[in-house]
Amino acid sequence: MWEFTKRISLLRVSTVILIIFTILSISIIQQCGNKIQEGTMLNNTFIKSVIDEMENKFGKDNSKRIKTGVTQMQKFWRIEDGTPEDFEKFCFDNFIADKEIIDKSFERLEVAFENIDGLLVELNRNLQWNLQVDTGPILPVDYLTANFDLASHVDEDLYKSKVAFFILLNFKVHNLDECIKYGEKWSRRDWAETRLAQKFTARVPSDVKQEIHKAFISADNYINNYNIYMHNLLSEDGKHLFPEGLKLISHWGLRDELKAQYDKEGGFPRKRMIYEVMGKIISQEIPEVVINNPDVDWKVSTNEVYGENISSSKEPDTRYANLLKVFNAEKAADPYYPLYPTFIDRRFNMDREIPENVVKQLFVDLLTSKEFQKTGKLIEERLNRNLEPFDIWYNGFKGESVYNEDELNKIVSEKYPDVKVFEEKIPETLMKLGFDKETADFLHSKIEVDPARGAGHAMGAGRRLDKAHLRTRVPEGGMNYKGFNIAMHELGHNVEQTFSLYRIDHTLLEGVPNTAFTEAFAFMFQGRDLEILGISEKDEDKEYLKALNQLWSVCEIAGVSLVDMGVWHWMYDHPDCTPAELKNATIEIAKNVWNKYFYPVLGHKDATILAIYSHMIDAGLYLPDYPVGYIIQFQIEEYIKDKNLATEMERMCKLGSITPDYWIKQAVGESISVEPLLKSARRALKFIH
Ligand SMILES: [Zn+2]
């Protein structure tokens, strides 16, 4: 289920435009000098003299603010921004001592940013319209307009126009520690000011940005072209175990096929073979010639390849060379983030806003829980054999539906013959979920439904004059059940987006802390889809199975995340390593995590399987977002379960984008915790056999 929040769409830097602009501007930048020394042209003696003189003018009462503002500006001022005299003049002309003027300036900036962000969202949506909305055949020009992206220039333009420096001079940039330490005592206005100032915590030169972009593109290409032709795999006795034409991408495709084998007769040897392939990808013992190649047979156990004039030489650690490229590109940006000097800092303290030690503890709590252990035992009984490492993808906790898919399709297609009807019925849908008529009508007036080319997505507005958009696909003859189920998910996103923009006290706090929070609401809507269709299906077993399935899969991804985190720390400790050294370290880290947390549940010492995830290579420490997201989502869903979804959701959405932990404390009355997930697994373990 993919969803477009405003933040995501703004972060999506358009490839083509970025590259063109960077190439054009590289010579200019080089002349101006783009290295970190720019900041140091304002030496500390000079800065001190500016502060002293400002204190003389504005009074000692303002000392603290002056010092904060001037040093914050110093960090980002470059030669092209002006001479030291210009710097000093700017400080004197723009430092605001008068409380009333500060208030007015803040209000105007809030309006300005609602417009900047909101108009960029709107522009972006319009330029992508023909690619995303079903408007007939796509024309070549549609791809060109879709690549036009003003957003990628906005940050630097805000520095150039000195808006950024005004903010840095007058508002304090708090780091995550301070937000956690003082945030609960701050007023909403304090929070909004903090978010305003935090827009300017970095000024990364465009050539450094371009290198990062290139490294991710290259890693992405590597991953996206890493397919295994399953028919070519030979078992020990020379048999093909998979059907002709089955081509699977690593690791998603391989993993999903492995999962599907739980439902198939004789799936065990196929699961084991996929597992073996994964191991060879991790260790890079896989013959290079079998990757993305339909023409070569490969006996996996012995690594023999069959074909004319081919070599069986191994993949030359390309997997790890790509990861290393990503690391080096991100590391080059470190000096430009004074508050977040490593990429690990940026992922945890800037993007996620949950400290790394807190995240790690959540994972350890899950992985060392009795519930994880007992669920493992239960799976062993259900499978009637000893567990294998690949059983981290056990697929058997599933309930059965009262209605089959055909029956559901019929009900849905009659009820929703086209997109227009789905839109008209939004108030009715929302009222079934517990919203009163007034709120349902209000939400309806802010959500537009468009026919999607893809499966569907939700796109929030960025300013209050705009509307959220729900994209859904309705085939000829009416909506089908799958489409309806996804549309309900997207409606959940849209309702969150609308509440957290329109009903928020400060638009600078618009939104939710991160995607986990909006996903929680989307899944709640999606999970009540049968209710909307007027089908009541109370199946307690299904709830229990869901809880166990959640726990098992969150544990799997938590283990994978610990490997990802360990590998990034290792790279920072060994910045000059070779791909081969990185490979060995990754394997060691994966084994350690396995032996510590998974071996007690699944056995098999030294399994390396946790290192197979492709996101580890091409997503830059993104993996921990999954388990953290599931944990938060579960907490919100559990809390709302026996309450009115409508009132609770509106209350929660109005909290806005404060830190995740403070948000969840106000929303459900406790910190981020794995306890609700463990509790429901505990309950389930009593009933499921
Ligand atoms: Zn979603």
Side-chain angles (χ1 to χ4, degrees):
M1 240 57 56
W2 49 300
E3 151 261 350
F4 275 54
T5 65
K6 285 142 295 204
R7 239 161 278 114
I8 289 171
S9 56
L10 282 178
L11 283 170
R12 255 164 216 274
V13 178
S14 147
T15 326
V16 173
I17 291 293
L18 180 71
I19 290 170
I20 292 172
F21 265 79
T22 317
I23 290 166
L24 287 176
S25 56
I26 256 175
S27 57
I28 304 164
I29 294 163
Q30 278 168 348
Q31 285 162 19
C32 299
N34 61 329
K35 295 289 174 280
I36 196 70
Q37 294 94 284
E38 288 151 12
T40 56
M41 71 162 201
L42 301 169
N43 66 44
N44 290 342
T45 324
F46 169 73
I47 291 295
K48 186 161 183 321
S49 76
V50 174
I51 293 172
D52 289 346
E53 282 167 41
M54 284 177 74
E55 279 176 353
N56 288 338
K57 182 177 173 191
F58 296 104
K60 290 272 173 209
D61 288 355
N62 285 303
S63 283
K64 215 172 149 190
R65 281 193 58 230
I66 291 170
K67 205 171 166 201
T68 302
V70 174
T71 48
Q72 284 184 167
M73 265 182 67
Q74 179 197 11
K75 286 184 184 127
F76 298 106
W77 190 274
R78 291 186 194 158
I79 287 170
E80 68 260 35
D81 297 317
T83 62
E85 292 69 37
D86 295 331
F87 178 91
E88 187 169 9
K89 186 170 181 321
F90 184 87
C91 292
F92 273 89
D93 291 350
N94 289 282
F95 180 77
I96 312 289
D98 184 326
K99 173 86 176 77
E100 216 170 292
I101 310 266
I102 273 281
D103 288 349
K104 283 211 171 101
S105 309
F106 168 79
E107 282 160 21
R108 288 181 190 180
L109 283 166
E110 184 160 47
V111 173
F113 277 100
E114 184 184 352
N115 276 301
I116 294 172
D117 294 343
L119 289 167
L120 284 172
V121 168
E122 233 173 293
L123 179 65
N124 191 45
R125 187 180 65 230
N126 288 335
L127 293 174
Q128 310 239 352
W129 191 271
N130 293 303
L131 290 191
Q132 291 173 351
V133 178
D134 188 1
T135 53
I138 297 176
L139 305 179
V141 70
D142 295 328
Y143 292 104
L144 300 177
T145 54
N147 266 331
F148 179 81
D149 181 18
L150 277 187
S152 56
H153 307 285
V154 165
D155 277 353
E156 186 51 30
D157 286 354
L158 286 167
Y159 280 102
K160 279 187 186 147
S161 59
K162 305 233 169 12
V163 176
F165 289 115
F166 180 90
I167 293 166
L168 288 165
L169 182 61
N170 288 290
F171 300 95
K172 183 164 165 44
V173 182
H174 291 282
N175 63 21
L176 180 63
D177 282 349
E178 292 164 334
C179 290
I180 291 172
K181 210 163 157 194
Y182 310 116
E184 297 190 19
K185 295 194 192 82
W186 286 344
S187 65
R188 296 285 296 175
R189 160 73 191 269
D190 291 335
W191 267 105
E193 275 188 19
T194 297
R195 289 313 195 203
L196 175 66
Q198 282 174 338
K199 287 180 184 287
F200 303 100
T201 52
R203 190 178 183 185
V204 184
S206 51
D207 58 339
V208 175
K209 276 191 199 164
Q210 195 204 1
E211 285 307 312
I212 294 175
H213 188 70
K214 267 167 56 186
F216 277 106
I217 293 278
S218 146
D220 247 10
N221 279 339
Y222 169 74
I223 293 295
N224 290 334
N225 292 302
Y226 205 112
N227 296 291
I228 304 294
Y229 284 81
M230 301 305 283
H231 176 71
N232 297 353
L233 308 187
L234 296 174
S235 65
E236 210 138 1
D237 50 359
K239 282 196 185 118
H240 296 276
L241 300 185
F242 291 93
E244 192 84 55
L246 184 64
K247 168 184 161 188
L248 299 177
I249 189 160
S250 176
H251 73 285
W252 306 273
L254 293 171
R255 179 202 58 194
D256 291 346
E257 180 63 27
L258 196 155
K259 278 181 143 185
Q261 291 298 332
Y262 282 93
D263 301 326
K264 290 183 185 160
E265 196 75 30
F268 190 78
R270 285 190 288 267
K271 281 187 277 198
R272 182 162 260 176
M273 186 179 260
I274 295 175
Y275 173 68
E276 218 174 322
V277 171
M278 286 175 161
K280 298 219 153 141
I281 294 173
I282 294 165
S283 68
Q284 297 283 279
E285 286 167 285
I286 182 170
E288 193 174 20
V289 71
V290 306
I291 303 163
N292 220 17
N293 185 352
D295 301 322
V296 181
D297 275 353
W298 170 32
K299 190 185 265 188
V300 183
S301 56
T302 58
N303 246 1
E304 285 164 88
V305 285
Y306 305 92
E308 268 174 49
N309 298 325
I310 53 159
S311 136
S312 63
S313 60
K314 297 168 187 168
E315 185 180 16
D317 299 335
T318 320
R319 180 177 175 85
Y320 300 94
N322 272 292
L323 176 56
L324 212 45
K325 258 192 246 166
V326 168
F327 167 73
N328 283 320
E330 287 291 359
K331 193 170 175 297
D334 287 352
Y336 305 100
Y337 287 90
L339 282 182
Y340 311 102
T342 70
F343 183 64
I344 303 172
D345 282 329
R346 299 198 276 285
R347 271 295 193 234
F348 284 95
N349 300 335
M350 194 173 94
D351 303 337
R352 242 166 240 139
E353 293 201 307
I354 311 174
E356 189 185 6
N357 59 341
V358 174
V359 171
K360 193 171 173 192
Q361 192 56 49
L362 289 170
F363 298 168
V364 170
D365 287 348
L366 275 178
L367 293 170
T368 54
S369 69
K370 279 200 189 76
E371 290 76 9
F372 179 41
Q373 188 103 40
K374 284 184 180 165
T375 308
K377 275 264 159 298
L378 175 63
I379 295 173
E380 200 160 59
E381 283 160 24
R382 287 168 75 109
L383 289 171
N384 200 21
R385 60 164 166 80
N386 290 334
L387 293 181
E388 296 285 332
F390 56 73
D391 289 320
I392 52 173
W393 293 306
Y394 173 70
N395 191 23
F397 292 130
K398 285 180 296 194
E400 271 170 35
S401 288
V402 178
Y403 287 85
N404 68 34
E405 186 120 358
D406 286 345
E407 290 166 322
L408 289 172
N409 283 342
K410 192 166 173 288
I411 297 170
V412 171
S413 66
E414 279 168 10
K415 200 168 161 108
Y416 304 102
D418 55 40
V419 169
K420 213 169 151 282
V421 175
F422 183 84
E423 182 176 288
E424 281 165 7
K425 284 192 196 267
I426 285 179
E428 181 191 314
T429 305
L430 293 173
M431 280 158 73
K432 280 192 182 157
L433 292 171
F435 292 85
D436 60 48
K437 179 150 190 344
E438 199 189 320
T439 311
D441 286 340
F442 158 75
L443 290 164
H444 181 215
S445 73
K446 303 295 174 204
I447 299 169
E448 227 168 271
V449 183
D450 314 315
R453 287 195 193 276
H457 60 258
M459 210 177 197
R463 59 182 194 130
R464 287 169 296 187
L465 284 174
D466 193 18
K467 286 184 179 185
H469 284 250
L470 189 154
R471 267 78 186 264
T472 181
R473 197 187 166 99
V474 178
E476 205 64 36
M479 208 172 211
N480 57 32
Y481 173 65
K482 182 99 190 119
F484 172 69
N485 177 269
I486 295 173
M488 285 303 297
H489 178 97
E490 308 307 343
L491 184 62
H493 282 308
N494 285 140
V495 170
E496 174 275 300
Q497 290 158 346
T498 305
F499 277 146
S500 63
L501 172 67
Y502 278 87
R503 298 218 157 153
I504 200 115
D505 48 357
H506 284 286
T507 50
L508 283 163
L509 294 175
E510 163 268 320
V512 285
N514 60 46
T515 46
F517 295 79
T518 183
E519 289 303 335
F521 296 118
F523 282 114
M524 269 180 257
F525 274 55
Q526 190 174 11
R528 296 180 193 203
D529 63 339
L530 293 179
E531 238 172 84
I532 306 300
L533 297 175
I535 299 168
S536 72
E537 192 187 58
K538 263 265 167 263
D539 181 352
E540 284 208 324
D541 261 18
K542 225 174 167 179
E543 284 286 300
Y544 295 140
L545 290 166
K546 191 180 148 202
L548 293 175
N549 189 46
Q550 291 252 16
L551 177 68
W552 196 248
S553 47
V554 177
C555 284
E556 175 256 343
I557 190 79
V560 168
S561 302
L562 286 175
V563 175
D564 196 12
M565 289 153 72
V567 168
W568 272 87
H569 278 284
W570 190 89
M571 290 192 290
Y572 264 102
D573 292 341
H574 304 83
D576 301 319
C577 70
T578 63
E581 287 164 342
L582 176 57
K583 173 183 74 181
N584 294 335
T586 304
I587 290 171
E588 265 325 288
I589 291 164
K591 281 183 188 172
N592 286 339
V593 173
W594 180 272
N595 292 345
K596 203 163 173 184
Y597 303 112
F598 290 80
Y599 173 71
V601 180
L602 293 109
H604 302 274
K605 220 172 182 97
D606 288 343
T608 61
I609 191 70
L610 297 170
I612 189 59
Y613 266 64
S614 291
H615 313 73
M616 210 175 90
I617 308 302
D618 75 343
L621 209 43
Y622 180 77
L623 280 166
D625 273 353
Y626 289 105
V628 169
Y630 290 132
I631 291 165
I632 289 171
Q633 205 178 297
F634 202 85
Q635 233 174 324
I636 301 172
E637 286 186 53
E638 276 296 295
Y639 178 84
I640 289 187
K641 219 176 201 172
D642 51 2
K643 301 183 181 63
N644 181 304
L645 169 70
T647 47
E648 289 299 326
M649 183 170 176
E650 180 170 355
R651 177 180 72 81
M652 291 181 184
C653 290
K654 288 193 315 205
L655 296 169
S657 65
I658 52 180
T659 45
D661 199 56
Y662 186 32
W663 192 102
I664 204 127
K665 269 189 197 158
Q666 294 183 76
V668 311
E670 59 176 13
S671 279
I672 300 176
S673 154
V674 298
E675 189 43 36
L677 180 54
L678 292 179
K679 199 173 141 194
S680 69
R682 237 177 351 255
R683 216 165 34 219
L685 282 163
K686 285 191 194 139
F687 294 97
I688 300 295
H689 298 285

